[in-house]
Amino acid sequence: MFRTLMITVLSLVVIGEAGAPWELATASPPRLHLIEIQAFRFMPQQTIVAPGDRIRWVNRDIVPHTVTAEGGVWLPRILSEGESWEFAVEAGGFYAYFCEFHPHMKGWLEAH
Amino acid sequence: MNTITKSLGYLALASTVLVGCVTVTDPAKAEKDKGPNDLEIAHIAYTAGNIDIRYAHLALAISENPEIRQFAELMVRDHTAVNNKALALVSKLQITPQDNPTSQQLSQRANDIRNELAQLRGDAFDKRYAANELEYHKFVNNAVENAFIPNAKNEELKSLLSAALQTFKAHEGHASSMNKKVS
Ligand SMILES: [Cu+2]
């Protein structure tokens, strides 16, 4: 544990000396989150993200589904089998979405 | 009484599907070939999907109820997707689905129901359509789950049937809530 910490500290020092901005060491880079539509469910149903992260939905079912935001935060997308779509979360908040074709399919993103 | 007769209709059909529709000459072979073969399964499954697409088109022509219309659009969209997958598999495997007595009975019965539905308007149509969709999906799901998937030999056909079953079960759930709304 102590050893790992030492290595981390040392490498930060090295980055620092190389002139990289210190912010890079503390703020995590944007991540890509995969949400699979499978068996008429969004999986995972709940995804915790940070503002700036990207979400990719992929339809693994054989029938088309939609990714539709409550309140029209993004334009609804229809995904046929194998298709995917990405959305970048810009601001923190709670984003609920569902499938228009099969409205029992619901999911949400929590950005903070 | 009417409803009971109709349920019996599907029940009689269900026993045909479950027991199978292979004409058997050799008794030893009979033991092995109790259920439908892959070519028959493909034919029945495709026919069953087409039947529901045709019910849906009738509903879109007659019904003004938004719930019913939305459901019918879903049936057209999903069953078309599933049947297109089936066609793609059929052409990939270079097989010809085989017509059989079950497919014929299914089509015959669907013709009768379509004729009956076509006479109805308004609430009477909506209720009958909704009831038939629930009953039909229950019947098809039973056949797919207990006859087609266990009997299918080709792995790709088996996995397509499993994906189709998920879809049809979702439809059964929708049909069930649609029935509560229109009754
Ligand atoms: Cu859907």
Side-chain angles (χ1 to χ4, degrees):
Chain A
M1 179 62 208
F2 176 72
R3 191 187 158 86
T4 320
L5 206 67
M6 277 305 289
I7 292 170
T8 313
V9 170
L10 283 175
S11 59
L12 288 182
V13 171
V14 172
I15 292 170
E17 281 177 356
W22 278 102
E23 288 78 14
L24 274 185
T26 47
S28 51
R31 288 179 56 203
L32 178 69
H33 305 262
L34 184 68
I35 299 178
E36 293 187 289
I37 306 175
Q38 203 161 25
F40 289 76
R41 278 183 303 171
F42 293 104
M43 296 198 296
Q45 189 175 37
Q46 177 197 39
T47 310
I48 312 262
V49 306
D53 285 359
R54 297 185 71 81
I55 321 295
R56 180 189 294 157
W57 285 268
V58 185
N59 182 8
R60 306 268 186 227
D61 276 344
I62 58 175
V63 298
H65 295 291
T66 78
V67 180
T68 303
E70 300 275 5
V73 179
W74 60 74
L75 288 172
R77 295 301 196 292
I78 297 174
L79 300 181
S80 293
E81 182 190 15
E83 288 185 337
S84 63
W85 174 64
E86 275 185 38
F87 173 72
V89 177
E90 275 158 23
F94 182 83
Y95 302 82
Y97 62 90
F98 62 101
C99 168
E100 285 174 63
F101 298 156
H102 313 98
H104 67 282
M105 295 171 56
K106 293 178 197 297
W108 58 90
L109 312 173
E110 268 182 60
H112 46 72
Chain B
M1 181 60 207
N2 211 14
T3 320
I4 291 170
T5 321
K6 272 154 203 156
S7 301
L8 284 176
Y10 278 122
L11 213 62
L13 213 53
S15 61
T16 317
V17 174
L18 294 171
V19 172
C21 41
V22 183
T23 327
V24 179
T25 42
D26 177 4
K29 206 169 169 285
E31 271 312 300
K32 284 195 321 191
D33 292 352
K34 268 186 178 158
N37 68 37
D38 283 11
L39 301 181
E40 291 168 325
I41 290 172
H43 196 284
I44 300 165
Y46 188 85
T47 304
N50 253 355
I51 286 171
D52 208 38
I53 291 171
R54 295 187 66 184
Y55 285 143
H57 280 298
L58 188 63
L60 290 170
I62 293 179
S63 179
E64 287 168 3
N65 181 318
E67 292 281 347
I68 298 282
R69 297 187 65 83
Q70 209 176 3
F71 183 87
E73 280 166 7
L74 177 71
M75 293 306 108
V76 172
R77 190 186 306 114
D78 283 2
H79 284 288
T80 303
V82 173
N83 271 5
N84 285 345
K85 286 285 286 187
L87 288 180
L89 181 60
V90 159
S91 86
K92 183 189 165 197
L93 299 175
Q94 295 185 309
I95 55 169
T96 308
Q98 194 178 309
D99 197 5
N100 59 81
T102 306
S103 286
Q104 288 159 11
Q105 287 175 44
L106 214 50
S107 297
Q108 183 52 53
R109 182 157 170 72
N111 275 336
D112 295 345
I113 293 175
R114 255 199 320 275
N115 288 337
E116 182 198 331
L117 278 168
Q119 311 299 315
L120 305 173
R121 291 294 179 272
D123 285 355
F125 176 90
D126 296 341
K127 278 180 190 163
R128 185 72 189 94
Y129 173 76
N132 185 57
E133 282 302 303
L134 180 57
E135 202 180 341
Y136 186 67
H137 279 92
K138 277 184 177 164
F139 158 74
V140 170
N141 290 345
N142 180 37
V144 173
E145 192 163 14
N146 300 312
F148 298 171
I149 294 177
N151 278 295
K153 303 278 184 294
N154 180 286
E155 284 306 317
E156 284 180 277
L157 177 62
K158 222 186 242 293
S159 97
L160 176 57
L161 289 166
S162 305
L165 182 62
Q166 272 173 359
T167 305
F168 303 161
K169 283 197 166 165
H171 293 172
E172 187 182 322
H174 275 256
S176 171
S177 55
M178 177 175 66
N179 267 278
K180 285 174 195 129
K181 283 172 191 161
V182 298
S183 64

